[in-house]
């Protein structure tokens, strides 16, 4: 396959690689790279010089994964390459510098791209649940401006909205295994309404019935469910 050969030729630098779909103009043919495509994986293993880890594309586009994972010299992530597309990827650790690493424990990295964007990079085989009770992460995110951040590529995926206040992280987000998730500043915290469920203990039990208390503050909506 000619395009496989051209792809292999494009992967010339050890730490920066290109995925090129050279389908003819007008053909409108997307290419899906998957771990089971053995012909391609064999070429990559022998020609590309991949190192294991997470690679991030330099041009993030809606509807496309902004990353790929490499294991043992081959691509371990299924990604779709639109026709006539030239995507350049770089290893995630190229983004790490003393000035932008907010948190790193050897598996999970949180990087400040700029004042309005941050990356959460999970290099492990397990999902990470990132929540305010994780003190180190919560405190690290104080470096970001307060506000609401969301994944601009997949905003409807659960736990892809991050709220950061003056004391750090105020909401739960999830980082899938071997992934990189981009978060982008959306608005101020005061621009949204939030719901809190506050357990207050058995002292509010009223003959097995449920009491619901609504407490309203400026720009906030608190819901307390009492038993």
């Amino acid at each position: 396959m000619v395009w496989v050969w051209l792809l292999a030729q494009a992967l010339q630098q050890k730490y920066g690689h290109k995925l090129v779909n050279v389908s003819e103009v007008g053909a409108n043919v997307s290419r899906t790279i998957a771990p089971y495509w053995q012909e391609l994986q064999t070429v990559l293993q022998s020609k590309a010089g991949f190192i294991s880890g997470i690679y991030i594309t330099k041009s993030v586009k809606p509807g496309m994964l902004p990353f790929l994972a490499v294991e043992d010299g081959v691509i371990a992530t299924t990604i779709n390459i639109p026709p006539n597309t030239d995507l350049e990827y770089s290893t995630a650790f190229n983004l790490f510098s003393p000035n932008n690493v907010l948190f790193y424990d050897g598996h999970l990295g949180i990087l400040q791209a700029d004042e309005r964007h941050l990356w959460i990079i999970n290099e492990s085989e397990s999902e990470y649940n990132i929540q305010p009770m994780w003190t180190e992460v919560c405190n690290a995110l104080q470096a970001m401006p307060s506000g609401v951040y969301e994944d601009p590529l997949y905003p409807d995926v659960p736990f892809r909205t991050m709220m950061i206040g003056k004391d750090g992280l105020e909401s739960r987000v999830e980082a899938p295994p071997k992934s990189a998730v981009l978060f982008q500043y959306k608005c101020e915290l005061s621009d949204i309404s939030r719901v809190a469920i506050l357990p207050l203990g058995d002292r509010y039990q009223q003959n097995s019935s449920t009491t619901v208390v609504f407490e309203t503050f400026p720009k906030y909506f608190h819901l307390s469910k009492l038993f």
Side-chain angles (χ1 to χ4, degrees):
M1 297 177 66
V2 176
W3 98 275
V4 174
W5 170 251
L6 291 174
L7 171 62
Q9 294 302 300
L11 300 173
Q12 295 177 357
Q13 298 180 357
K14 185 173 183 180
Y15 299 119
H17 302 268
K18 288 187 177 182
L19 297 181
V20 184
N21 184 350
V22 292
S23 298
E24 294 181 2
V25 176
N28 197 30
V29 177
S30 295
R31 300 289 183 177
T32 299
I33 297 177
Y36 55 77
W37 189 353
Q38 193 57 53
E39 181 183 5
L40 173 62
Q41 300 289 21
T42 299
V43 172
L44 293 177
Q45 235 173 355
S46 61
K47 301 286 186 180
F50 276 135
I51 61 171
S52 295
I54 303 297
Y55 287 70
I56 295 177
T57 181
K58 294 184 177 181
S59 55
V60 181
K61 298 181 179 180
M64 295 181 60
L65 283 179
F67 71 93
L68 58 83
V70 172
E71 297 178 1
D72 300 324
V74 299
I75 295 176
T77 306
T78 299
I79 54 176
N80 184 63
I81 309 299
N84 307 309
T85 298
D86 184 342
L87 297 175
E88 185 173 354
Y89 289 80
S90 178
T91 53
F93 66 71
N94 281 347
L95 302 178
F96 283 64
S97 75
N99 298 324
N100 71 349
V101 178
L102 303 180
F103 175 84
Y104 186 64
D105 65 357
H107 298 288
L108 182 74
I110 302 178
L111 310 179
Q112 181 177 3
D114 54 45
E115 287 191 353
R116 300 180 68 88
H117 298 84
L118 61 88
W119 285 98
I120 294 183
I121 301 169
N122 181 5
E123 300 176 317
S124 76
E125 300 280 355
S126 303
E127 180 180 79
Y128 265 79
N129 287 308
I130 304 165
Q131 36 78 20
M133 289 186 291
W134 192 346
T135 304
E136 289 178 288
V137 171
C138 183
N139 292 340
L141 287 170
Q142 292 179 20
M144 296 296 297
S146 296
V148 179
Y149 296 74
E150 71 175 13
D151 180 351
L153 304 178
Y154 297 93
D156 296 329
V157 174
F159 302 106
R160 291 291 176 88
T161 299
M162 177 186 294
M163 300 181 190
I164 299 177
K166 63 181 180 62
D167 295 320
L169 184 64
E170 295 185 358
S171 66
R172 173 188 168 192
V173 294
E174 292 181 351
K178 293 191 175 298
S179 70
V181 181
L182 177 67
F183 286 88
Q184 176 178 283
Y185 181 89
K186 181 181 180 181
C187 63
E188 296 182 2
L189 289 173
S190 58
D191 291 338
I192 64 170
S193 295
R194 290 189 280 178
V195 176
I197 300 176
L198 309 175
L200 299 180
D202 293 338
R203 63 184 179 277
Y204 289 92
Q205 184 171 355
Q206 296 181 357
N207 300 323
S208 299
S209 62
T210 299
T211 302
V212 180
V213 176
F214 298 89
E215 192 172 14
T216 305
F217 294 90
K219 298 293 186 178
Y220 291 90
F221 176 67
H222 292 259
L223 168 62
S224 301
K225 187 174 184 180
L226 314 177
F227 298 94

